PDB file of all heavy atoms in Angstrom:
ATOM      1  N   ARG A   4      96.745  67.882 107.748  1.00 93.00           N
ATOM      2  CA  ARG A   4      96.304  69.271 107.627  1.00 93.00           C
ATOM      3  C   ARG A   4      96.775  70.035 108.810  1.00 93.00           C
ATOM      4  O   ARG A   4      96.737  69.577 109.998  1.00 93.00           O
ATOM      5  CB  ARG A   4      94.783  69.314 107.524  1.00 93.00           C
ATOM      6  CG  ARG A   4      94.313  68.770 106.112  1.00 93.00           C
ATOM      7  CD  ARG A   4      92.861  68.864 105.989  1.00 93.00           C
ATOM      8  NE  ARG A   4      92.184  67.988 106.935  1.00 93.00           N
ATOM      9  CZ  ARG A   4      90.881  67.858 107.071  1.00 93.00           C
ATOM     10  NH1 ARG A   4      90.070  68.637 106.309  1.00 93.00           N
ATOM     11  NH2 ARG A   4      90.364  66.967 107.852  1.00 93.00           N
ATOM     12  N   ARG A 276      93.170  73.056 108.167  1.00 97.00           N
ATOM     13  CA  ARG A 276      91.976  72.605 108.787  1.00 97.00           C
ATOM     14  C   ARG A 276      90.993  73.784 108.910  1.00 97.00           C
ATOM     15  O   ARG A 276      90.768  74.418 109.972  1.00 97.00           O
ATOM     16  CB  ARG A 276      92.225  72.049 110.230  1.00 97.00           C
ATOM     17  CG  ARG A 276      93.081  70.793 110.144  1.00 97.00           C
ATOM     18  CD  ARG A 276      92.886  69.927 111.463  1.00 97.00           C
ATOM     19  NE  ARG A 276      93.303  70.588 112.707  1.00 97.00           N
ATOM     20  CZ  ARG A 276      94.562  70.508 113.153  1.00 97.00           C
ATOM     21  NH1 ARG A 276      95.472  69.787 112.536  1.00 97.00           N
ATOM     22  NH2 ARG A 276      94.854  71.108 114.319  1.00 97.00           N
ATOM     23  N   GLN A 277      90.428  74.096 107.757  1.00 97.00           N
ATOM     24  CA  GLN A 277      89.481  75.210 107.601  1.00 97.00           C
ATOM     25  C   GLN A 277      88.410  74.942 106.592  1.00 97.00           C
ATOM     26  O   GLN A 277      88.575  74.047 105.808  1.00 97.00           O
ATOM     27  CB  GLN A 277      90.229  76.541 107.324  1.00 97.00           C
ATOM     28  CG  GLN A 277      90.771  76.579 105.885  1.00 97.00           C
ATOM     29  CD  GLN A 277      91.425  77.901 105.524  1.00 97.00           C
ATOM     30  OE1 GLN A 277      92.289  78.406 106.261  1.00 97.00           O
ATOM     31  NE2 GLN A 277      91.029  78.470 104.397  1.00 97.00           N
ATOM     32  N   ARG A 278      87.412  75.738 106.648  1.00 96.00           N
ATOM     33  CA  ARG A 278      86.321  75.680 105.618  1.00 96.00           C
ATOM     34  C   ARG A 278      85.745  77.135 105.540  1.00 96.00           C
ATOM     35  O   ARG A 278      85.439  77.749 106.560  1.00 96.00           O
ATOM     36  CB  ARG A 278      85.216  74.745 106.033  1.00 96.00           C
ATOM     37  CG  ARG A 278      84.151  74.538 104.988  1.00 96.00           C
ATOM     38  CD  ARG A 278      83.160  73.468 105.364  1.00 96.00           C
ATOM     39  NE  ARG A 278      83.816  72.135 105.349  1.00 96.00           N
ATOM     40  CZ  ARG A 278      83.324  71.030 105.942  1.00 96.00           C
ATOM     41  NH1 ARG A 278      82.145  71.124 106.567  1.00 96.00           N
ATOM     42  NH2 ARG A 278      83.930  69.912 105.909  1.00 96.00           N
ATOM     43  N   PRO A 279      85.729  77.656 104.249  1.00 96.00           N
ATOM     44  CA  PRO A 279      86.185  77.066 103.036  1.00 96.00           C
ATOM     45  C   PRO A 279      87.697  77.203 102.815  1.00 96.00           C
ATOM     46  O   PRO A 279      88.339  77.946 103.601  1.00 96.00           O
ATOM     47  CB  PRO A 279      85.364  77.914 102.022  1.00 96.00           C
ATOM     48  CG  PRO A 279      85.274  79.278 102.596  1.00 96.00           C
ATOM     49  CD  PRO A 279      85.087  79.009 104.084  1.00 96.00           C
ATOM     50  N   PRO A 336      71.117  80.326 115.388  1.00 95.00           N
ATOM     51  CA  PRO A 336      72.139  79.308 115.542  1.00 95.00           C
ATOM     52  C   PRO A 336      72.800  79.001 114.224  1.00 95.00           C
ATOM     53  O   PRO A 336      72.209  79.207 113.146  1.00 95.00           O
ATOM     54  CB  PRO A 336      71.326  78.058 116.056  1.00 95.00           C
ATOM     55  CG  PRO A 336      69.910  78.343 115.807  1.00 95.00           C
ATOM     56  CD  PRO A 336      69.784  79.793 115.706  1.00 95.00           C
ATOM     57  N   VAL A 337      74.042  78.445 114.299  1.00 96.00           N
ATOM     58  CA  VAL A 337      74.802  78.081 113.130  1.00 96.00           C
ATOM     59  C   VAL A 337      75.207  76.679 113.293  1.00 96.00           C
ATOM     60  O   VAL A 337      75.782  76.210 114.291  1.00 96.00           O
ATOM     61  CB  VAL A 337      76.061  78.969 112.866  1.00 96.00           C
ATOM     62  CG1 VAL A 337      76.883  78.469 111.756  1.00 96.00           C
ATOM     63  CG2 VAL A 337      75.637  80.405 112.673  1.00 96.00           C
ATOM     64  N   LYS A 338      74.922  75.817 112.282  1.00 94.00           N
ATOM     65  CA  LYS A 338      75.367  74.410 112.369  1.00 94.00           C
ATOM     66  C   LYS A 338      76.836  74.329 111.914  1.00 94.00           C
ATOM     67  O   LYS A 338      77.157  74.655 110.749  1.00 94.00           O
ATOM     68  CB  LYS A 338      74.451  73.562 111.442  1.00 94.00           C
ATOM     69  CG  LYS A 338      74.695  72.054 111.640  1.00 94.00           C
ATOM     70  CD  LYS A 338      73.629  71.291 110.925  1.00 94.00           C
ATOM     71  CE  LYS A 338      73.781  69.771 111.157  1.00 94.00           C
ATOM     72  NZ  LYS A 338      73.858  69.397 112.566  1.00 94.00           N
ATOM     73  N   LYS A 339      77.631  73.837 112.850  1.00 94.00           N
ATOM     74  CA  LYS A 339      79.085  73.745 112.542  1.00 94.00           C
ATOM     75  C   LYS A 339      79.728  72.706 113.460  1.00 94.00           C
ATOM     76  O   LYS A 339      79.723  72.859 114.653  1.00 94.00           O
ATOM     77  CB  LYS A 339      79.734  75.158 112.832  1.00 94.00           C
ATOM     78  CG  LYS A 339      81.203  75.319 112.452  1.00 94.00           C
ATOM     79  CD  LYS A 339      82.105  75.095 113.713  1.00 94.00           C
ATOM     80  CE  LYS A 339      83.559  75.170 113.333  1.00 94.00           C
ATOM     81  NZ  LYS A 339      84.427  74.765 114.412  1.00 94.00           N
ATOM     82  N   PRO A 340      80.258  71.691 112.878  1.00 91.00           N
ATOM     83  CA  PRO A 340      80.899  70.640 113.722  1.00 91.00           C
ATOM     84  C   PRO A 340      82.253  71.129 114.216  1.00 91.00           C
ATOM     85  O   PRO A 340      82.906  72.020 113.598  1.00 91.00           O
ATOM     86  CB  PRO A 340      81.060  69.474 112.748  1.00 91.00           C
ATOM     87  CG  PRO A 340      81.096  70.091 111.355  1.00 91.00           C
ATOM     88  CD  PRO A 340      80.197  71.317 111.450  1.00 91.00           C
ATOM     89  N   ALA A 341      82.719  70.504 115.267  1.00 93.00           N
ATOM     90  CA  ALA A 341      84.075  70.774 115.763  1.00 93.00           C
ATOM     91  C   ALA A 341      85.115  70.169 114.844  1.00 93.00           C
ATOM     92  O   ALA A 341      84.831  69.255 114.019  1.00 93.00           O
ATOM     93  CB  ALA A 341      84.227  70.239 117.163  1.00 93.00           C
ATOM     94  N   GLY A 342      86.354  70.677 114.913  1.00 94.00           N
ATOM     95  CA  GLY A 342      87.465  70.107 114.165  1.00 94.00           C
ATOM     96  C   GLY A 342      87.949  70.910 112.994  1.00 94.00           C
ATOM     97  O   GLY A 342      89.116  70.664 112.462  1.00 94.00           O
ATOM     98  N   LEU A 343      87.163  71.903 112.522  1.00 96.00           N
ATOM     99  CA  LEU A 343      87.623  72.732 111.423  1.00 96.00           C
ATOM    100  C   LEU A 343      87.338  74.209 111.829  1.00 96.00           C
ATOM    101  O   LEU A 343      86.295  74.469 112.508  1.00 96.00           O
ATOM    102  CB  LEU A 343      86.895  72.422 110.125  1.00 96.00           C
ATOM    103  CG  LEU A 343      87.154  71.148 109.426  1.00 96.00           C
ATOM    104  CD1 LEU A 343      86.303  70.980 108.193  1.00 96.00           C
ATOM    105  CD2 LEU A 343      88.626  71.007 108.997  1.00 96.00           C
ATOM    106  N   TYR A 344      88.219  75.100 111.394  1.00 97.00           N
ATOM    107  CA  TYR A 344      87.993  76.496 111.611  1.00 97.00           C
ATOM    108  C   TYR A 344      87.127  76.937 110.467  1.00 97.00           C
ATOM    109  O   TYR A 344      87.435  76.790 109.267  1.00 97.00           O
ATOM    110  CB  TYR A 344      89.399  77.211 111.534  1.00 97.00           C
ATOM    111  CG  TYR A 344      89.352  78.681 112.047  1.00 97.00           C
ATOM    112  CD1 TYR A 344      90.175  79.041 113.119  1.00 97.00           C
ATOM    113  CD2 TYR A 344      88.574  79.677 111.441  1.00 97.00           C
ATOM    114  CE1 TYR A 344      90.143  80.365 113.572  1.00 97.00           C
ATOM    115  CE2 TYR A 344      88.640  80.989 111.906  1.00 97.00           C
ATOM    116  CZ  TYR A 344      89.344  81.312 112.990  1.00 97.00           C
ATOM    117  OH  TYR A 344      89.434  82.579 113.464  1.00 97.00           O
ATOM    118  N   HIS A 345      85.997  77.587 110.773  1.00 97.00           N
ATOM    119  CA  HIS A 345      84.998  78.017 109.742  1.00 97.00           C
ATOM    120  C   HIS A 345      85.115  79.550 109.576  1.00 97.00           C
ATOM    121  O   HIS A 345      85.031  80.270 110.606  1.00 97.00           O
ATOM    122  CB  HIS A 345      83.582  77.581 110.093  1.00 97.00           C
ATOM    123  CG  HIS A 345      83.274  76.234 109.768  1.00 97.00           C
ATOM    124  ND1 HIS A 345      82.060  75.796 109.235  1.00 97.00           N
ATOM    125  CD2 HIS A 345      84.040  75.093 109.802  1.00 97.00           C
ATOM    126  CE1 HIS A 345      82.070  74.492 109.035  1.00 97.00           C
ATOM    127  NE2 HIS A 345      83.285  74.010 109.421  1.00 97.00           N
ATOM    128  N   PHE A 346      85.182  79.974 108.364  1.00 97.00           N
ATOM    129  CA  PHE A 346      85.022  81.461 108.028  1.00 97.00           C
ATOM    130  C   PHE A 346      83.674  81.521 107.363  1.00 97.00           C
ATOM    131  O   PHE A 346      83.467  81.202 106.217  1.00 97.00           O
ATOM    132  CB  PHE A 346      86.124  81.851 107.017  1.00 97.00           C
ATOM    133  CG  PHE A 346      87.450  81.693 107.576  1.00 97.00           C
ATOM    134  CD1 PHE A 346      88.360  80.687 107.118  1.00 97.00           C
ATOM    135  CD2 PHE A 346      88.066  82.656 108.425  1.00 97.00           C
ATOM    136  CE1 PHE A 346      89.635  80.570 107.613  1.00 97.00           C
ATOM    137  CE2 PHE A 346      89.361  82.529 108.911  1.00 97.00           C
ATOM    138  CZ  PHE A 346      90.151  81.487 108.539  1.00 97.00           C
ATOM    139  N   VAL A 347      82.728  82.006 108.162  1.00 97.00           N
ATOM    140  CA  VAL A 347      81.291  82.074 107.715  1.00 97.00           C
ATOM    141  C   VAL A 347      80.954  83.514 107.255  1.00 97.00           C
ATOM    142  O   VAL A 347      81.279  84.479 107.929  1.00 97.00           O
ATOM    143  CB  VAL A 347      80.414  81.702 108.888  1.00 97.00           C
ATOM    144  CG1 VAL A 347      78.916  81.767 108.446  1.00 97.00           C
ATOM    145  CG2 VAL A 347      80.722  80.285 109.399  1.00 97.00           C
ATOM    146  N   GLN A 367      76.228  78.247 102.882  1.00 91.00           N
ATOM    147  CA  GLN A 367      77.623  78.584 102.881  1.00 91.00           C
ATOM    148  C   GLN A 367      78.477  77.768 102.038  1.00 91.00           C
ATOM    149  O   GLN A 367      79.722  77.666 102.139  1.00 91.00           O
ATOM    150  CB  GLN A 367      78.133  78.529 104.367  1.00 91.00           C
ATOM    151  CG  GLN A 367      77.455  79.548 105.281  1.00 91.00           C
ATOM    152  CD  GLN A 367      77.983  80.965 105.067  1.00 91.00           C
ATOM    153  OE1 GLN A 367      79.162  81.194 105.148  1.00 91.00           O
ATOM    154  NE2 GLN A 367      77.036  81.853 104.714  1.00 91.00           N
ATOM    155  N   HIS A 383      84.123  84.263 112.595  1.00 98.00           N
ATOM    156  CA  HIS A 383      85.148  83.313 112.836  1.00 98.00           C
ATOM    157  C   HIS A 383      84.696  82.296 113.895  1.00 98.00           C
ATOM    158  O   HIS A 383      84.436  82.637 115.055  1.00 98.00           O
ATOM    159  CB  HIS A 383      86.384  84.027 113.373  1.00 98.00           C
ATOM    160  CG  HIS A 383      87.058  84.929 112.371  1.00 98.00           C
ATOM    161  ND1 HIS A 383      88.244  84.608 111.770  1.00 98.00           N
ATOM    162  CD2 HIS A 383      86.661  86.123 111.761  1.00 98.00           C
ATOM    163  CE1 HIS A 383      88.551  85.567 110.889  1.00 98.00           C
ATOM    164  NE2 HIS A 383      87.580  86.485 110.888  1.00 98.00           N
ATOM    165  N   LEU A 384      84.658  81.033 113.431  1.00 98.00           N
ATOM    166  CA  LEU A 384      84.214  79.945 114.345  1.00 98.00           C
ATOM    167  C   LEU A 384      85.468  78.977 114.472  1.00 98.00           C
ATOM    168  O   LEU A 384      85.636  78.185 113.555  1.00 98.00           O
ATOM    169  CB  LEU A 384      83.007  79.223 113.808  1.00 98.00           C
ATOM    170  CG  LEU A 384      81.783  80.146 113.630  1.00 98.00           C
ATOM    171  CD1 LEU A 384      80.609  79.308 113.048  1.00 98.00           C
ATOM    172  CD2 LEU A 384      81.378  80.817 114.919  1.00 98.00           C
ATOM    173  N   PRO A 385      86.172  79.041 115.569  1.00 97.00           N
ATOM    174  CA  PRO A 385      87.401  78.175 115.744  1.00 97.00           C
ATOM    175  C   PRO A 385      87.085  76.708 115.691  1.00 97.00           C
ATOM    176  O   PRO A 385      86.000  76.261 115.773  1.00 97.00           O
ATOM    177  CB  PRO A 385      87.966  78.656 117.035  1.00 97.00           C
ATOM    178  CG  PRO A 385      87.393  79.956 117.319  1.00 97.00           C
ATOM    179  CD  PRO A 385      86.022  79.954 116.690  1.00 97.00           C
ATOM    180  N   GLU A 386      88.137  75.932 115.635  1.00 96.00           N
ATOM    181  CA  GLU A 386      88.026  74.481 115.617  1.00 96.00           C
ATOM    182  C   GLU A 386      87.215  73.889 116.724  1.00 96.00           C
ATOM    183  O   GLU A 386      86.427  73.059 116.508  1.00 96.00           O
ATOM    184  CB  GLU A 386      89.451  73.805 115.566  1.00 96.00           C
ATOM    185  CG  GLU A 386      90.170  74.002 114.283  1.00 96.00           C
ATOM    186  CD  GLU A 386      91.510  73.221 114.287  1.00 96.00           C
ATOM    187  OE1 GLU A 386      91.470  72.154 115.006  1.00 96.00           O
ATOM    188  OE2 GLU A 386      92.460  73.567 113.592  1.00 96.00           O
ATOM    189  N   ASP A 387      87.445  74.400 117.889  1.00 95.00           N
ATOM    190  CA  ASP A 387      86.786  73.834 119.068  1.00 95.00           C
ATOM    191  C   ASP A 387      85.345  74.267 119.273  1.00 95.00           C
ATOM    192  O   ASP A 387      84.648  73.920 120.197  1.00 95.00           O
ATOM    193  CB  ASP A 387      87.574  74.126 120.384  1.00 95.00           C
ATOM    194  CG  ASP A 387      87.786  75.566 120.631  1.00 95.00           C
ATOM    195  OD1 ASP A 387      87.259  76.410 119.812  1.00 95.00           O
ATOM    196  OD2 ASP A 387      88.380  75.890 121.652  1.00 95.00           O
ATOM    197  N   CYS A 388      84.919  75.229 118.287  1.00 96.00           N
ATOM    198  CA  CYS A 388      83.494  75.636 118.430  1.00 96.00           C
ATOM    199  C   CYS A 388      82.615  74.726 117.684  1.00 96.00           C
ATOM    200  O   CYS A 388      82.912  74.303 116.570  1.00 96.00           O
ATOM    201  CB  CYS A 388      83.339  77.057 117.798  1.00 96.00           C
ATOM    202  SG  CYS A 388      81.718  77.727 117.647  1.00 96.00           S
ATOM    203  N   ALA A 389      81.501  74.285 118.348  1.00 96.00           N
ATOM    204  CA  ALA A 389      80.567  73.390 117.717  1.00 96.00           C
ATOM    205  C   ALA A 389      79.125  73.949 117.821  1.00 96.00           C
ATOM    206  O   ALA A 389      78.733  74.243 118.921  1.00 96.00           O
ATOM    207  CB  ALA A 389      80.689  71.940 118.323  1.00 96.00           C
ATOM    208  N   ASP A 390      78.423  74.037 116.723  1.00 95.00           N
ATOM    209  CA  ASP A 390      76.991  74.399 116.692  1.00 95.00           C
ATOM    210  C   ASP A 390      76.703  75.595 117.640  1.00 95.00           C
ATOM    211  O   ASP A 390      75.854  75.421 118.589  1.00 95.00           O
ATOM    212  CB  ASP A 390      76.132  73.203 117.068  1.00 95.00           C
ATOM    213  CG  ASP A 390      76.236  72.047 116.061  1.00 95.00           C
ATOM    214  OD1 ASP A 390      76.606  72.365 114.897  1.00 95.00           O
ATOM    215  OD2 ASP A 390      76.039  70.865 116.416  1.00 95.00           O
ATOM    216  N   PRO A 391      77.297  76.745 117.368  1.00 96.00           N
ATOM    217  CA  PRO A 391      76.927  77.875 118.214  1.00 96.00           C
ATOM    218  C   PRO A 391      75.481  78.253 118.146  1.00 96.00           C
ATOM    219  O   PRO A 391      74.918  78.211 117.087  1.00 96.00           O
ATOM    220  CB  PRO A 391      77.843  79.038 117.669  1.00 96.00           C
ATOM    221  CG  PRO A 391      78.118  78.599 116.252  1.00 96.00           C
ATOM    222  CD  PRO A 391      78.188  77.121 116.257  1.00 96.00           C
ATOM    223  N   SER A 392      74.919  78.656 119.289  1.00 96.00           N
ATOM    224  CA  SER A 392      73.549  78.857 119.349  1.00 96.00           C
ATOM    225  C   SER A 392      73.191  80.334 119.127  1.00 96.00           C
ATOM    226  O   SER A 392      74.092  81.243 119.287  1.00 96.00           O
ATOM    227  CB  SER A 392      72.985  78.407 120.698  1.00 96.00           C
ATOM    228  OG  SER A 392      73.679  79.039 121.768  1.00 96.00           O
ATOM    229  N   GLU A 395      74.723  83.604 121.235  1.00 96.00           N
ATOM    230  CA  GLU A 395      76.135  83.344 121.575  1.00 96.00           C
ATOM    231  C   GLU A 395      76.974  84.477 120.985  1.00 96.00           C
ATOM    232  O   GLU A 395      76.798  84.889 119.833  1.00 96.00           O
ATOM    233  CB  GLU A 395      76.543  82.000 121.105  1.00 96.00           C
ATOM    234  CG  GLU A 395      77.996  81.596 121.626  1.00 96.00           C
ATOM    235  CD  GLU A 395      78.200  80.082 121.338  1.00 96.00           C
ATOM    236  OE1 GLU A 395      77.238  79.325 121.274  1.00 96.00           O
ATOM    237  OE2 GLU A 395      79.393  79.741 121.230  1.00 96.00           O
TER     238      GLU A 395
END
Side-chain angles (χ1 to χ4, degrees):
R4 291 181 292 178
R276 295 204 296 269
Q277 69 177 49
R278 185 174 294 166
V337 175
K338 188 169 183 57
K339 184 261 178 191
L343 292 177
Y344 195 119
H345 279 217
F346 299 103
V347 179
Q367 295 288 301
H383 292 252
L384 302 179
E386 288 188 28
D387 58 359
C388 173
D390 296 335
S392 58
E395 188 169 332

